[in-house]
Amino acid sequence: MVSLQEMNSGLISLLSDAAFEDPWSSFFMDVLSRLNFVKISQVRMQGLLLLVFAKYQHLPYIQIISTRSTPTGLYGYWGNKGGVNICLKLYGYYVSIVNCHLPPHMSNNDQRLEHFDRILESQTFEGNNIPNILDHDLILWFGDMNFRIEDFGLLFVQECVAKQYYHELWKKDQLYIAKRHDPLLREFQEGALLFPPTYKFDRHSNNYDTSEKKRKPAWTDRILWRLKRQPQASPLASSLPTSYFSLTLKSYISHMSYSISDHKPVTGTFELELNPLMSVPLVTMMPEYLWTMENDMLISYTSTPEFLSSPWDWIGLYKVGMRHINDYVSYVWVGDNQVSFSNNPNQVYISISDVPETEDQFLLCYYSNNLHSVVGISQPFKALGSDGVRVTMENALTARDRVGVQDFVLLENFTSEAAFIENLRRRFRENLIYTYIGPVLVSVNPYRDLQIYSRQHMERYRGVSFYEVPPHLFAVADTVYRALRTERRDQAVMISGESGAGKTEATKRLLQFYAETCPAPERGGAVRDRLLQSNPVLEAFGNAKTLRNDNSSRFGKYMDVQFDFKGAPVGGHILSYLLEKSRVVHQNHGERNFHIFYQLLEGGEEEALRRLGLERNPQSYLYLVKGQCAKVSSINDKSDWKVVRKALSVIDFTEDEVEDLLSIVASVLHLGNIHFAADEDSNAQVTTENQLKYLTRLLGVEGTTLREALTHRKIIAKGEELLSPLNLEQAAYARDALAKAVYSRTFTWLVTKINRSLASKDAESPSWRSTTVLGLLDIYGFEVFQHNSFEQFCINYCNEKLQQLFIELTLKSEQEEYEAEGIAWEPVQYFNNKIICDLVEEKFKGIISILDEECLRPGEATDLTFLEKLEDTIKHHPHFLTHKLADQKTRKSLGRGEFRLLHYAGEVTYSVTGFLDKNNDLLFRNLKEIMCSSKNPIMCQCFDRNELSDKKRPETVATQFKTSLLQLVEILKSKEPAYIRCIKPNDAKQPGRFDEVLIRHQVKYLGLMENLRVRRAGFAYRRKYEAFLQRYKSLCPETWPTWAGQPQDGVAVLVRHLGYKPEEYKMGRTKIFIRFPKTLFATEDSLEVRRQSLAICIQSWWRGTLGRRKAAKRKWAAQTIRRLIRGFILRHSPRCPENAFFLDHVRTSFLLNLRKQLPRNVLDTSWPTPPPALREASELLRELCMKNMVWKYCRSISPEWKQQLQQKAVASEIFKGKKDNYPQSVPRLFISTRLGTEEISPRVLQALGSEPIQYAVPVVKYDRKGYKPRSRQLLLTPSAVVIVEDAKVKQRIDYTNLTGISVSSLSDSLFVLHVQREDNKQKGDVVLQSDHVIETLTKTALSADRVNNININQGSITFAGGPGRDGIIDFTSGSELLITKAKNGHLAVVSGTCWPGSKVEPLRIKPSFEYVSVPFPLLPAHEGWRGASWAPMVAIKEL
């Protein structure tokens, strides 16, 4: 984003919004377009200009919602330059970019900031469901934000600047001051102000201008930002994408040497990290489907279900390096040139007559008119003028001269290694990294992201025949998966290649494909997530940077993925092979230790590192500095640490287990820093006490015991334990052996832990027998280094076994296919490397047996004695050679401590140095003992105490590896294999570089030429009859356009017409077999010629069809407009044929619009004005709508709320407009009772017996004679009103004797209960006062069924004071309530004034109740109000 403030106002008049007439856009795009940036939006107002650029890859994920400019500022608080704003939606997040002044020079700071929130909210964009700007995920605010700084002297300024005390100057900045008072302003962040404010006076001169204007600071541009507070993740929404949006300021620089007017510009550089809420574009362009005919190009695209297309959408053809969305070479309106009307994919054609004959790359962009944004973009491809568009992934053989063949079996000279490599080179040059050798996939690492692994690519290869689409990893993945489901046979994918060839990446892409395309298991996707998240954990602990690869797997891995009968992944299991544990203690120059060490140091929290005793600098640890390569530019250890921590939680690691695991990792680093010194007897002593303390705490062992174990060796001789001191060299060996043992066993424990997580935990889940298994083998490739040792020997032995299996299974599958099709099988001559495997693994005579024998024999055994034993035992083997056995010429290249094996891939020379030590892998007994006593839960599982009591010597490393490898071979033999051979194009890891010497070496040791020779020994090409006939039927008049008979008969007719010779093909049971590639190529060339002629015919027919459709559409449009105009003219006339169409249109439009404008609730009185013809219908619809809303509302009312509304309705019916203090009671809820059971005397409750108390309230009773007030309690039971004094029932008035209730019309709280005078039990009427008079009388009236017997009197109330004597109560208005006995003997009541604005207790209504503040007409009440659907509405209006 670039925010500019232009000085020259004369220049502004020359500018326009056009992309190429804007000098600023041109200036920036001259630089940025070369970096693949595109200008996506701009907005200008007077001197302000805001530009937004983005790389074209991001265009489908950026939606420009709106732009806005404010000429005179917001609320008058901005400067005269106004402000500009761009609101965009970035990967689903709302971002507002604002450039403005905040605020101008004003003396009153409070006045300037009091409307800060209103200033922001005025930037809210209307429509499109855009949230308020304060709810946007990010607000970026550029502009002049240096508030007027308080006045201070020149010397103070000079002193602060000279000593760089800038914070002292900024403390007087009013923006700094305002943040302390304005909470919204405090939410805005700013970078550290490491530069001074700018001033109009010369800070370096002592001549201080004291004028008001000169001594004030000038404007300083500032950058503020505000991030929306992230919501806490809900445990109930774990399956939804997690919202994560983080902005980090990387640099904040003031350019003091530049000036715009009196402004000093600043530059802010930010790093944005987000979890995309939108990961798939709305439209996916698929240039791989392109094909051309003369000057037209066919384009296929798919769209998501939520995408709403428009007739004005268009697709543009752009050069890579486009400057603006209008910078197209050619374009097409999608609605006009539509070819296919199916849902997906859609197809259109575009003119390419303007495309120049250039090697430049091109893009296709889909522009949505509704969203005003690019919603789809293709991968780059090349166009070659009139030859048509040749895209990066072909689906035909016609381009073979330029991009090679997609199956090596189709090479004419298949025995030539040069032809093989040249085909690889051609495809690699066109970014075609995948090629087949029959069913085998050859992959070349491109060392860059080719954007060919998206969800759309997965869908393209899903469920498609293997050869119907270009070669791809996903094609192999889908074929294996479909075979697993349909044939119910276990499958295995074997991925091999040397370090850096892309094996690990291929494994991850396969798992990604299955995770995305396989059906989700019924019990959630936890297993699927664990399968994916196991990769980063294993990579952290088992991968390292080597000279050949920055993420090299230093162990072999075989993963079984278990699928249920529906094809959903439900479990998994991992086997690991030969971890390179020597890397823990030693790395070659330019290499690193395992990733986890650097990730922990770089990404670990400060508290965690402090607890582990670590510091962030890797140079502080001996085990991390030997390679002198702690920092690597291509590796982000901090980011990788976050991934690993998240993955550990996904695969069921508890916090305690993570802590224990990290303690072990830290202990290895501390172990490397243990140093020794020799005492006077040359015995080793530990000198680093601090490291020892950390080790004892992290490993949970005794310090003294650990010290002794590191400097002594325990020997058991004749049943006695002896401690032998170690010298410096032996102590260092013991320390390193312990470090290797701790790390390697922890790695084994980690794999076991992951397997427990991947295993199905559900007892109801299917067993392994009822499911199928897909195996993924990611194992080290053949290794030939300048110095090859024991590890390379084991790795190359592994590759020999796998090559042997590969050839056997390939020949077996070929033979089975020939026999199934009824074609004679001819034996194939090939190199059988069983002789080499036997040389290594044969019992008693093999190299491993001899190595083990030398390790176990008594006496002094060394690496050289092992070599001598080899020379004596296998000296006559043709594939074995040493310096002693070689001739004079060969000895020059072979050292005395080396032997050479002739592998299937070539000769490899091994140095025997270290063979015995690495094979023994010796760990002193006392070191084992102390690790078995560890209190670290993981360590005590890694070191089993049974090892100490087991008298049997443990198997050597080579024997263990041999046993596990033989088990792996048996596993692979039990499955149907698929192969992926990975090739590294160069050692420098550079994209586009093809090292022929290196690739020739890999082609050789991967056995690709041998595999191709086996595959081509018979027939080069084979296809199902249906597929062959469908592709080539247009070449024969008898089979075109359809063939009615059997496919096999149709193919027979077709090949006869094409002139195939009998020796060129064979007809099998379901397939045709073609022996020579040239036969297929000739057929393909004929098809290309035929396709051009067919395309011209189809094109002319289709254009004619489109023309007729357009003409019919224009004719229909003209007739429709004519009918509307004629109807509009006659709209006031009676209905007739001339105006019927218009009147129907008006009615239809009204009804359609009415659907969108219906009232939202029963208090909403809005209703659109109907046309005259629909007035009656409109009133009926309005009445029905209101009844429906009322019915819905009444259905939603709870019983408690219904009772409340009924009581309020009764109160309204009785008191509304009749009693002055009634409005005060409306906001208050009626309470079920005002007195609890504990407030009523138990004697009263006993006197009432079984009668329940329905309502109780404290009242004041006035005597009938002297009107003396007395406190009482009024109780309502189902049958009577009871008046209670303390523990005594003073009076009981049965409802049958209650003749009426009187109350005044004023705001007093007195009322009179009238009783029958004939009732001798009653002393007369009762005069009472209640603070809740409306509530009390309403409940009394309902309980006694006296709703119609409440009298509201004006002036006075007469009541029976006793037998033959009446009393009178006089009511008058006054300023406050006063009740006294008047001189005339009456009770005088002066009611207090009920002020409209007096505070009352608010009525707390449920949040869903939204009908309070909108007026609603009072519905008429009648006697049947109880239970009537309209009754609550009366109360609603009052509420």
Side-chain angles (χ1 to χ4, degrees), residues 32-81:
L32 294 176
S33 61
R34 301 173 189 174
L35 304 175
N36 293 333
F37 279 90
V38 183
K39 190 184 81 171
I40 61 173
S41 184
Q42 75 172 49
V43 60
R44 171 184 286 105
M45 173 48 60
Q46 300 178 24
L48 294 180
L49 174 64
L50 184 59
L51 301 167
V52 180
F53 307 91
K55 285 197 173 184
Y56 69 77
Q57 296 94 327
H58 299 287
L59 289 180
Y61 306 100
I62 302 176
Q63 178 186 341
I64 303 300
I65 297 178
S66 186
T67 60
R68 169 175 291 195
S69 58
T70 308
T72 57
L74 301 176
Y75 278 103
Y77 295 128
W78 286 1
N80 56 9
K81 294 287 181 75

Coordinates of all heavy atoms in Angstrom, one line a residue, residues 32-81:
L32 N 7.1 -2.5 -10.1 CA 6.4 -3.6 -9.4 C 5.9 -4.7 -10.4 O 5.8 -5.9 -10.0 CB 5.3 -3.1 -8.6 CG 5.6 -2.2 -7.4 CD1 4.4 -1.6 -6.7 CD2 6.5 -2.9 -6.4
S33 N 5.6 -4.3 -11.6 CA 5.1 -5.3 -12.5 C 6.1 -6.4 -12.8 O 5.7 -7.5 -13.1 CB 4.6 -4.6 -13.8 OG 5.7 -4.0 -14.4
R34 N 7.4 -6.0 -12.8 CA 8.4 -7.0 -13.0 C 8.5 -8.0 -11.9 O 9.1 -9.1 -12.0 CB 9.8 -6.3 -13.2 CG 9.8 -5.3 -14.3 CD 11.1 -4.5 -14.3 NE 11.0 -3.4 -15.3 CZ 12.0 -2.5 -15.4 NH1 13.1 -2.6 -14.6 NH2 11.9 -1.5 -16.2
L35 N 8.0 -7.6 -10.7 CA 7.9 -8.5 -9.6 C 6.6 -9.2 -9.4 O 6.3 -9.7 -8.3 CB 8.3 -7.7 -8.3 CG 9.6 -7.0 -8.3 CD1 9.7 -6.1 -7.1 CD2 10.8 -7.9 -8.4
N36 N 5.8 -9.2 -10.5 CA 4.5 -9.9 -10.5 C 3.4 -9.2 -9.6 O 2.5 -9.8 -9.2 CB 4.6 -11.3 -10.1 CG 5.3 -12.2 -11.1 OD1 5.3 -11.8 -12.3 ND2 5.9 -13.2 -10.7
F37 N 3.6 -7.9 -9.4 CA 2.6 -7.1 -8.6 C 1.7 -6.4 -9.6 O 2.0 -6.1 -10.8 CB 3.3 -6.0 -7.8 CG 3.8 -6.5 -6.5 CD1 5.1 -6.9 -6.4 CD2 3.0 -6.5 -5.4 CE1 5.6 -7.4 -5.2 CE2 3.5 -6.9 -4.1 CZ 4.8 -7.4 -4.1
V38 N 0.4 -6.3 -9.2 CA -0.6 -5.6 -10.0 C -1.3 -4.6 -9.1 O -1.5 -4.7 -7.9 CB -1.7 -6.7 -10.4 CG1 -2.7 -6.1 -11.3 CG2 -1.0 -7.9 -11.1
K39 N -1.6 -3.4 -9.8 CA -2.4 -2.4 -9.1 C -3.8 -2.9 -9.0 O -4.5 -3.1 -10.0 CB -2.3 -1.1 -9.7 CG -2.9 0.1 -8.9 CD -2.9 1.4 -9.6 CE -4.0 1.5 -10.6 NZ -4.2 2.8 -11.1
I40 N -4.4 -3.0 -7.8 CA -5.7 -3.5 -7.7 C -6.7 -2.5 -7.3 O -7.9 -2.7 -7.5 CB -5.8 -4.7 -6.6 CG1 -5.4 -4.2 -5.3 CG2 -5.0 -5.9 -7.1 CD1 -5.6 -5.3 -4.2
S41 N -6.3 -1.3 -6.7 CA -7.2 -0.3 -6.4 C -6.5 1.0 -6.2 O -5.3 1.0 -5.8 CB -8.0 -0.7 -5.2 OG -9.0 0.3 -4.9
Q42 N -7.2 2.1 -6.4 CA -6.7 3.4 -6.0 C -7.9 4.4 -5.7 O -9.0 4.1 -6.2 CB -5.8 4.0 -7.1 CG -6.7 4.5 -8.3 CD -5.8 5.3 -9.3 OE1 -4.8 4.8 -9.7 NE2 -6.2 6.4 -9.7
V43 N -7.6 5.4 -4.9 CA -8.6 6.4 -4.6 C -7.9 7.7 -4.4 O -6.8 7.7 -3.8 CB -9.5 6.0 -3.4 CG1 -8.7 5.8 -2.2 CG2 -10.6 7.0 -3.2
R44 N -8.4 8.8 -4.9 CA -7.8 10.1 -4.8 C -8.8 11.1 -4.3 O -10.0 11.1 -4.7 CB -7.2 10.6 -6.1 CG -6.7 12.0 -6.1 CD -6.2 12.5 -7.5 NE -4.9 11.9 -7.8 CZ -4.7 10.9 -8.7 NH1 -5.8 10.4 -9.3 NH2 -3.6 10.4 -8.9
M45 N -8.3 12.1 -3.5 CA -9.2 13.2 -3.1 C -8.2 14.4 -3.0 O -7.4 14.4 -2.1 CB -10.0 13.0 -1.9 CG -10.7 14.2 -1.3 SD -11.7 15.1 -2.6 CE -12.8 13.8 -3.1
Q46 N -8.3 15.4 -3.9 CA -7.5 16.5 -3.9 C -6.0 16.1 -3.8 O -5.5 15.5 -4.7 CB -7.9 17.5 -2.7 CG -9.3 17.9 -2.8 CD -9.7 18.8 -1.6 OE1 -8.9 19.4 -1.0 NE2 -11.0 18.9 -1.4
G47 N -5.3 16.4 -2.7 CA -3.9 16.1 -2.7 C -3.6 14.7 -2.2 O -2.4 14.4 -2.0
L48 N -4.6 13.9 -1.8 CA -4.3 12.6 -1.2 C -4.5 11.5 -2.3 O -5.4 11.6 -3.1 CB -5.2 12.3 -0.1 CG -5.1 13.2 1.2 CD1 -6.1 12.8 2.2 CD2 -3.7 13.2 1.7
L49 N -3.6 10.6 -2.3 CA -3.7 9.4 -3.2 C -3.3 8.2 -2.5 O -2.3 8.1 -1.8 CB -2.7 9.6 -4.4 CG -2.6 8.5 -5.4 CD1 -4.0 8.2 -6.1 CD2 -1.6 8.7 -6.4
L50 N -4.2 7.1 -2.6 CA -3.9 5.9 -1.9 C -3.9 4.8 -3.0 O -4.9 4.6 -3.7 CB -5.0 5.6 -0.9 CG -4.8 4.3 0.0 CD1 -3.5 4.4 0.7 CD2 -6.0 4.2 1.0
L51 N -2.8 4.0 -3.1 CA -2.7 2.9 -4.1 C -2.5 1.6 -3.3 O -1.8 1.6 -2.3 CB -1.5 3.2 -5.0 CG -1.5 4.5 -5.8 CD1 -0.1 4.8 -6.3 CD2 -2.5 4.5 -6.9
V52 N -3.1 0.5 -3.9 CA -2.9 -0.8 -3.3 C -2.5 -1.7 -4.4 O -3.1 -1.8 -5.5 CB -4.3 -1.3 -2.7 CG1 -4.1 -2.7 -2.1 CG2 -4.7 -0.4 -1.6
F53 N -1.4 -2.5 -4.1 CA -0.8 -3.4 -5.1 C -0.8 -4.8 -4.4 O -0.8 -4.9 -3.2 CB 0.6 -3.0 -5.5 CG 0.8 -1.6 -6.0 CD1 1.1 -0.6 -5.1 CD2 0.6 -1.3 -7.3 CE1 1.2 0.7 -5.5 CE2 0.8 0.0 -7.7 CZ 1.1 1.0 -6.9
A54 N -0.8 -5.8 -5.3 CA -0.8 -7.2 -4.8 C -0.2 -8.1 -5.9 O -0.3 -7.8 -7.0 CB -2.2 -7.7 -4.4
K55 N 0.5 -9.1 -5.4 CA 0.9 -10.1 -6.4 C -0.3 -10.8 -7.1 O -1.3 -11.1 -6.4 CB 1.9 -11.1 -5.8 CG 3.2 -10.6 -5.4 CD 4.3 -11.7 -5.2 CE 5.7 -11.1 -5.1 NZ 6.7 -12.1 -4.9
Y56 N -0.1 -11.1 -8.4 CA -1.3 -11.6 -9.1 C -1.8 -12.9 -8.5 O -3.0 -13.2 -8.6 CB -1.0 -11.7 -10.6 CG 0.0 -12.8 -11.0 CD1 -0.4 -14.1 -11.0 CD2 1.3 -12.5 -11.3 CE1 0.5 -15.1 -11.4 CE2 2.2 -13.5 -11.7 CZ 1.8 -14.8 -11.7 OH 2.6 -15.8 -12.1
Q57 N -1.0 -13.7 -7.8 CA -1.4 -15.0 -7.3 C -2.5 -14.8 -6.2 O -3.3 -15.7 -6.0 CB -0.3 -15.7 -6.7 CG 0.8 -16.2 -7.6 CD 2.0 -15.2 -7.7 OE1 1.7 -14.0 -7.6 NE2 3.2 -15.6 -8.0
H58 N -2.5 -13.6 -5.6 CA -3.5 -13.3 -4.5 C -4.8 -12.7 -5.0 O -5.7 -12.5 -4.2 CB -2.9 -12.4 -3.5 CG -1.6 -12.9 -2.8 ND1 -1.7 -13.9 -1.9 CD2 -0.3 -12.6 -3.0 CE1 -0.5 -14.2 -1.5 NE2 0.4 -13.4 -2.1
L59 N -4.9 -12.4 -6.3 CA -6.1 -11.6 -6.8 C -7.4 -12.3 -6.5 O -8.3 -11.7 -6.1 CB -5.9 -11.4 -8.3 CG -4.9 -10.4 -8.7 CD1 -4.8 -10.2 -10.3 CD2 -5.1 -9.0 -8.1
P60 N -7.5 -13.6 -6.7 CA -8.8 -14.3 -6.4 C -9.3 -14.2 -4.9 O -10.4 -14.5 -4.6 CB -8.6 -15.7 -6.8 CG -7.5 -15.7 -7.7 CD -6.6 -14.6 -7.2
Y61 N -8.3 -13.8 -4.0 CA -8.6 -13.8 -2.6 C -8.8 -12.4 -2.1 O -8.9 -12.2 -0.9 CB -7.6 -14.6 -1.8 CG -7.3 -16.0 -2.4 CD1 -6.3 -16.3 -3.2 CD2 -8.2 -17.0 -2.0 CE1 -6.1 -17.6 -3.7 CE2 -8.0 -18.3 -2.5 CZ -7.0 -18.6 -3.3 OH -6.8 -19.8 -3.8
I62 N -8.7 -11.4 -3.0 CA -8.8 -10.0 -2.5 C -10.0 -9.4 -3.2 O -10.1 -9.4 -4.5 CB -7.6 -9.2 -2.9 CG1 -6.3 -9.8 -2.3 CG2 -7.7 -7.8 -2.5 CD1 -5.0 -9.2 -2.6
Q63 N -11.0 -9.0 -2.5 CA -12.2 -8.4 -3.0 C -12.3 -6.9 -2.6 O -12.3 -6.6 -1.4 CB -13.4 -9.1 -2.5 CG -14.8 -8.5 -3.0 CD -15.9 -9.2 -2.4 OE1 -15.8 -10.3 -1.9 NE2 -17.1 -8.6 -2.4
I64 N -12.2 -6.0 -3.5 CA -12.3 -4.6 -3.2 C -13.8 -4.3 -3.0 O -14.6 -4.3 -3.9 CB -11.8 -3.7 -4.4 CG1 -10.3 -4.1 -4.6 CG2 -11.9 -2.3 -4.0 CD1 -9.4 -3.9 -3.5
I65 N -14.2 -4.1 -1.8 CA -15.6 -3.8 -1.4 C -16.0 -2.4 -1.9 O -17.0 -2.3 -2.5 CB -15.8 -4.1 0.1 CG1 -15.5 -5.5 0.4 CG2 -17.2 -3.7 0.4 CD1 -15.6 -5.8 1.9
S66 N -15.2 -1.5 -1.5 CA -15.6 -0.1 -1.9 C -14.4 0.8 -1.6 O -13.5 0.5 -0.9 CB -16.8 0.4 -1.1 OG -17.3 1.6 -1.5
T67 N -14.5 2.0 -2.3 CA -13.5 3.1 -2.0 C -14.3 4.3 -1.7 O -15.5 4.5 -2.1 CB -12.6 3.3 -3.3 OG1 -13.5 3.7 -4.4 CG2 -11.8 2.1 -3.6
R68 N -13.7 5.2 -0.9 CA -14.4 6.4 -0.5 C -13.5 7.5 -0.4 O -12.3 7.4 0.0 CB -15.1 6.1 0.8 CG -15.7 7.4 1.5 CD -16.5 7.1 2.7 NE -17.7 6.3 2.4 CZ -18.7 6.2 3.3 NH1 -18.6 6.7 4.5 NH2 -19.8 5.5 3.0
S69 N -14.0 8.7 -0.7 CA -13.2 9.9 -0.5 C -14.1 11.0 0.2 O -15.3 11.0 0.0 CB -12.7 10.5 -1.8 OG -13.8 10.7 -2.7
T70 N -13.5 11.7 1.1 CA -14.2 12.8 1.9 C -13.6 14.1 1.6 O -12.5 14.4 2.0 CB -14.1 12.5 3.4 OG1 -14.5 11.1 3.6 CG2 -15.0 13.4 4.1
P71 N -14.3 15.0 0.8 CA -13.7 16.2 0.3 C -13.3 17.2 1.5 O -12.2 17.8 1.4 CB -14.7 16.8 -0.6 CG -15.8 15.8 -0.7 CD -15.6 14.8 0.3
T72 N -14.1 17.3 2.5 CA -13.9 18.3 3.5 C -13.6 17.8 4.8 O -13.7 18.5 5.8 CB -15.1 19.3 3.6 OG1 -16.3 18.5 3.9 CG2 -15.4 20.0 2.3
G73 N -13.3 16.5 4.9 CA -13.0 15.9 6.2 C -14.2 15.4 6.9 O -15.3 15.7 6.5
L74 N -14.0 14.6 7.9 CA -15.1 14.0 8.6 C -15.5 14.8 9.8 O -14.6 15.1 10.6 CB -14.8 12.6 9.0 CG -14.4 11.6 7.9 CD1 -13.9 10.3 8.5 CD2 -15.6 11.4 7.0
Y75 N -16.7 15.2 9.9 CA -17.1 16.1 11.1 C -16.3 17.4 11.2 O -16.3 18.0 12.2 CB -17.1 15.3 12.4 CG -18.2 14.4 12.6 CD1 -18.1 13.0 12.4 CD2 -19.5 14.9 13.0 CE1 -19.2 12.2 12.6 CE2 -20.5 14.1 13.2 CZ -20.4 12.7 13.0 OH -21.5 11.9 13.2
G76 N -15.7 17.7 10.1 CA -14.9 19.0 10.1 C -13.7 18.9 10.9 O -13.0 19.9 11.2
Y77 N -13.2 17.7 11.3 CA -12.0 17.6 12.1 C -10.8 17.2 11.4 O -9.8 17.0 11.9 CB -12.3 16.5 13.2 CG -13.4 16.9 14.2 CD1 -14.4 16.1 14.5 CD2 -13.3 18.2 14.8 CE1 -15.4 16.5 15.3 CE2 -14.3 18.6 15.6 CZ -15.4 17.7 15.9 OH -16.4 18.1 16.7
W78 N -10.9 17.1 10.1 CA -9.7 16.8 9.3 C -9.3 18.1 8.6 O -10.0 19.1 8.6 CB -10.0 15.7 8.2 CG -10.2 14.4 8.7 CD1 -10.1 14.0 10.0 CD2 -10.4 13.2 8.0 NE1 -10.2 12.7 10.1 CE2 -10.5 12.1 8.9 CE3 -10.6 12.9 6.6 CZ2 -10.7 10.8 8.5 CZ3 -10.8 11.6 6.2 CH2 -10.8 10.6 7.2
G79 N -8.1 18.0 8.0 CA -7.5 19.2 7.3 C -8.3 19.4 6.0 O -9.1 18.6 5.6
N80 N -7.9 20.4 5.3 CA -8.6 20.7 4.1 C -8.3 19.8 2.9 O -8.9 19.9 1.9 CB -8.2 22.2 3.6 CG -6.7 22.3 3.5 OD1 -6.0 21.4 3.5 ND2 -6.3 23.6 3.3
K81 N -7.4 18.8 3.2 CA -7.1 17.8 2.1 C -8.1 16.7 2.1 O -8.1 15.9 1.2 CB -5.7 17.2 2.4 CG -4.6 18.2 2.2 CD -4.3 18.5 0.7 CE -3.2 19.5 0.5 NZ -1.9 18.8 0.7

